Amino acid sequence: MKRRLPPWVKNTAMELIGSIFVAIGVYNFAVAAEFPMTGFSGIAIIFFRLWNVPIGLSTVLLNIPVVIFSYRLLGRGFFLRSVRCTVISSVVIDYLAPLLPLYSGSRMLAAVCTGAFAGVGYALIYMQNSSTGGSDFIIMSVKALRPHLSVGNIAFVSDTLIVITGGILFQDMDGIIYGIIISFLMSSVVDKIMYGSNAGKLSLTVTEHPREVIDAIDRSCARGATVLKAEGGYQGDKKGVVMCACNNKQMYEMQKAVKAADPDSFLVILESNEVHGEGFSPLIVGEKAQEPIR
């Protein structure tokens, strides 16, 4: 019988891989191009450029007061995983990344590579229900204290302040623009990796002929469908709502088939970030759920 590795081994390995990607993006591209970065990495880069303080060391020192403040708010499990990942990423960025060549070409290409590498790295780390500490601790702590504020708004304010500060300190207005580009690319890459791999389309077809619509969907793209009973809001007549999930390539053919089967149908197409089940990637649930953020 094949013995399975403990979950923490896989999590640590993925955090290490993610930290390598983050380190390459931050040190080998962002530092070399002198970009003002977001989060604690941005503050650490400011210290590095002003006083030559190692980026990993600055990150650890900056995290100490934040960790003490946010321990009770974020929960023990998330806290311990984040501390482990913070140490790993700090060691990687100070000792491994300097062994790799620094990019010295176009600043725009450096910004693209920074966003791509760091985005991949952060996505791998977030998928382990972990973080690199720093501004993640601050964002989640503020969210815990002020639940009415969105995480996106908190992160945007924090990132913008750090990017603008770095740009002003080094009198680099272009750097501010590059920093905003990097932030956008990182968030896009993170979303694509974490949610885009199982993305698809969801169609809702309001029709008086649900059986004909279902048959048309089956013939066009071999997808199953679910009929929801509905009632017209104006006349109160009985209708069916045919719900069907499919991938992006199949939606066009399905749309034509539905309209051919019932020209009077009302069709709504929605984006689906995650689709699991028969015909799609299975939903994999671990043996034991990790402790959520409180």
Side-chain angles (χ1 to χ4, degrees):
M1 183 176 178
K2 192 173 181 180
R3 190 173 181 181
R4 299 182 62 182
L5 293 174
W8 68 267
V9 175
K10 173 183 174 292
N11 293 343
T12 303
M14 295 302 293
E15 288 172 0
L16 175 60
I17 296 172
S19 296
I20 293 173
F21 275 95
V22 172
I24 292 174
V26 171
Y27 187 90
N28 300 91
F29 287 99
V31 174
E34 299 184 342
F35 290 140
M37 287 287 290
T38 62
F40 273 24
S41 296
I43 300 176
I45 288 176
I46 292 175
F47 290 166
F48 178 80
R49 293 177 63 185
L50 288 176
W51 302 298
N52 203 33
V53 180
I55 296 174
L57 177 61
S58 296
T59 302
V60 171
L61 294 178
L62 288 169
N63 268 291
I64 291 175
V66 176
V67 164
I68 295 174
F69 170 76
S70 56
Y71 173 81
R72 293 177 61 86
L73 290 172
L74 300 180
R76 182 173 178 271
F78 181 80
F79 164 78
L80 293 177
R81 289 189 295 274
S82 298
V83 169
R84 178 183 65 199
C85 190
T86 300
V87 174
I88 292 173
S89 62
S90 298
V91 172
V92 169
I93 203 170
D94 277 348
Y95 295 100
L96 180 59
L99 300 177
L100 303 175
L102 297 177
Y103 179 76
S104 57
S106 166
R107 293 190 84 192
M108 178 57 74
L109 291 179
V112 171
C113 291
T114 298
F117 275 97
V120 171
Y122 283 123
L124 294 177
I125 291 170
Y126 294 155
M127 289 168 71
Q128 312 312 309
N129 195 22
S130 183
S131 77
T132 56
S135 58
D136 292 340
F137 278 152
I138 295 177
I139 291 168
M140 298 311 298
S141 296
V142 173
K143 177 66 176 176
L145 293 173
R146 298 288 186 270
H148 63 282
L149 297 177
S150 72
V151 173
N153 289 337
I154 300 170
F156 178 77
V157 172
S158 171
D159 291 347
T160 301
L161 289 175
I162 295 173
V163 168
I164 292 176
T165 300
I168 293 175
L169 280 176
F170 302 108
Q171 299 182 356
D172 184 6
M173 295 302 104
D174 286 346
I176 295 177
I177 299 175
Y178 284 125
I180 295 173
I181 292 174
I182 291 170
S183 299
F184 175 77
L185 288 174
M186 279 198 299
S187 62
S188 299
V189 172
V190 167
D191 286 345
K192 190 65 177 176
I193 291 177
M194 294 184 69
Y195 307 114
S197 59
N198 292 316
K201 302 283 188 182
L202 177 67
S203 69
L204 299 173
T205 305
V206 182
T207 176
E208 295 180 354
H209 309 284
R211 176 48 53 189
E212 288 82 350
V213 170
I214 291 175
D215 291 340
I217 292 174
D218 183 56
R219 289 193 302 269
S220 64
C221 57
R223 288 292 183 188
T226 300
V227 179
L228 309 176
K229 294 182 179 180
E231 181 179 298
Y234 182 68
Q235 296 181 336
D237 50 336
K238 303 299 181 182
K239 296 179 180 291
V241 178
V242 180
M243 182 177 68
C244 177
C246 65
N247 60 42
N248 295 327
K249 296 179 181 178
Q250 294 172 325
M251 179 53 68
Y252 179 70
E253 294 297 327
M254 193 208 76
Q255 182 178 356
K256 289 196 304 181
V258 168
K259 281 302 180 182
D262 183 6
D264 297 324
S265 63
F266 183 78
L267 176 63
V268 179
I269 299 175
L270 307 172
E271 295 287 342
S272 299
N273 287 333
E274 290 281 338
V275 182
H276 297 282
E278 185 177 354
F280 296 91
S281 298
L283 179 60
I284 300 175
V285 181
E287 293 181 356
K288 184 178 180 181
Q290 293 178 323
E291 180 182 342
I293 300 174
R294 291 200 296 261

